Amino acid sequence: MNNSVLNLLSYGVYVVTTLDGDRSVGCIANCAMQITYDTLCVSINHDNYTNGCIKKSKKFAISILGEHVNDAVIPTFGFNSCRDIDKFEKTKTVKIDGLDILTDSVGYVICELTGEFETETHTVFVGKMTAGDVLKQDIPMTYDYYHKVKKGKSPKAAPTYQEETSSPKTVAYKCKICGYIYEGDITKEPDTYVCPICKKDKSYFEKI
Ligand SMILES: Cc1cc2nc3c(=O)[nH]c(=O)nc-3n(C[C@H](O)[C@H](O)[C@H](O)COP(=O)(O)O)c2cc1C
């Protein structure tokens, strides 16, 4: 199986907020998406404090981050737990329908929980949109931009973590034309194999 194919999927970067009783909690998630005209879902790791809080409060908000978001937001919300710190202490927010929305976001969506789906590691929370608005002009940040331009990393809890961790023993080949990385032994591919990006044949790949 060539896991690098997963790198071809697109995501944004979001702060998912909810309530722990009266206290605001939340974390970064890239795995959030609209699934019907008024329904969204977000995938949250079982170990994230935010997970149990969404289960109890039965609502969540998604603040959509822009490319010029304050540099402290992703480290604060993505690499710390609400078990240990108050992530909202130094983050400007506005309360909408009881949930904290980051004022430094391009927009937000508020959802009431309508379903949950368990996987081995993550709960996929499904929510019906009850409110939402555009907040400021900026290009919404993509996960790709976060990695390639901001040079950001993702922790283990991110569903996409595996895509970024290639064991040092993994053999990989790089396409000399477009830079596409093939993880695994490309020599085992049939002669008809072509790079999925630039369509050049196997001879254009060099071992890295
Ligand atoms: C770029 C990025 C993307 C992330 N995506 C997700 C995600 O989609 N789902 C998830 O559960 N955690 C994701 N995380 C990890 C959580 O944000 C992180 O584990 C956080 O510390 C959990 O905080 P909490 O314990 O307060 O809930 C991501 C982190 C980063 C930096």
Side-chain angles (χ1 to χ4, degrees), residues 20-61:
D20 177 23
D22 293 339
R23 184 173 81 106
S24 287
V25 293
C27 68
I28 297 285
N30 63 287
C31 290
M33 66 186 286
Q34 180 181 1
I35 52 173
T36 76
Y37 75 100
D38 68 349
T39 304
L40 291 89
C41 70
V42 56
S43 173
I44 301 291
N45 194 287
H46 295 154
D47 294 337
N48 287 356
Y49 194 75
T50 307
N51 185 311
C53 298
I54 297 177
K55 284 186 176 158
K56 277 189 215 142
S57 72
K58 306 217 176 296
K59 55 182 180 176
F60 61 90

